[in-house]
Amino acid sequence: QVQLVESGGGLVQAGGSLRLSCAASGRTFSSYSMGWFRQAPGKEREFVAGISGSSGRTRYADSVKGRSTISRDNAKNTVYLQMNSLKPEDTAVYYCGASDKTEWGLPPFSVYQYDYWGQGTQVTVSS
């Protein structure tokens, strides 16, 4: 099994920044794609950003493109999500996921393609 633990969430004012971290343990491979998803109360879990394991190629949801950056440090088995210019609509529980699949070398964006999940970290953006 792969265990994922998110951290770095909290309360921030609109326009502020947060850096989320996801530490992996257990069956973790350099080929794993890693993704960040978020889920607001009463809504479905949605893709935010992903990064492939082998090539480090990235993809982002349109809602965060240009103000978020996903990165990974394979030596530390850790993936990060730097979020800038935060908006109240970014408020959600943010989850880290791991997948052994890619789509044409890119990390998948579907929640169904991810095999392991962390417990989430709360991000609250005040207006």
Side-chain angles (χ1 to χ4, degrees):
Q1 294 185 350
V2 174
Q3 291 180 288
L4 305 173
V5 180
E6 302 95 336
S7 62
L11 175 64
V12 64
Q13 296 184 41
S17 299
L18 284 174
R19 188 191 189 219
L20 308 183
S21 298
C22 174
S25 63
R27 188 178 292 109
T28 301
F29 306 100
S30 62
S31 60
Y32 271 24
S33 292
M34 302 295 292
W36 285 99
F37 294 74
R38 66 187 182 187
Q39 188 167 22
K43 302 193 69 175
E44 297 180 1
R45 189 170 300 187
E46 65 175 357
F47 175 82
V48 177
I51 183 168
S52 65
S54 58
S55 66
R57 300 181 68 183
T58 60
R59 66 197 305 181
Y60 299 89
D62 289 340
S63 58
V64 303
K65 190 176 300 181
R67 58 190 183 95
S68 297
T69 302
I70 187 170
S71 61
R72 67 190 298 157
D73 186 339
N74 287 336
K76 298 180 179 179
N77 285 347
T78 302
V79 63
Y80 307 94
L81 181 66
Q82 177 69 43
M83 303 181 65
N84 303 320
S85 302
L86 285 163
K87 308 173 181 178
E89 49 263 45
D90 294 319
T91 296
V93 177
Y94 282 71
Y95 296 92
C96 177
S99 173
D100 62 2
K101 298 172 285 291
T102 62
E103 297 176 347
W104 304 105
L106 295 171
F109 60 83
S110 172
V111 298
Y112 302 107
Q113 300 300 309
Y114 287 80
D115 307 297
Y116 305 99
W117 298 93
Q119 293 186 352
T121 184
Q122 176 71 49
V123 172
T124 302
V125 184
S126 62
S127 60

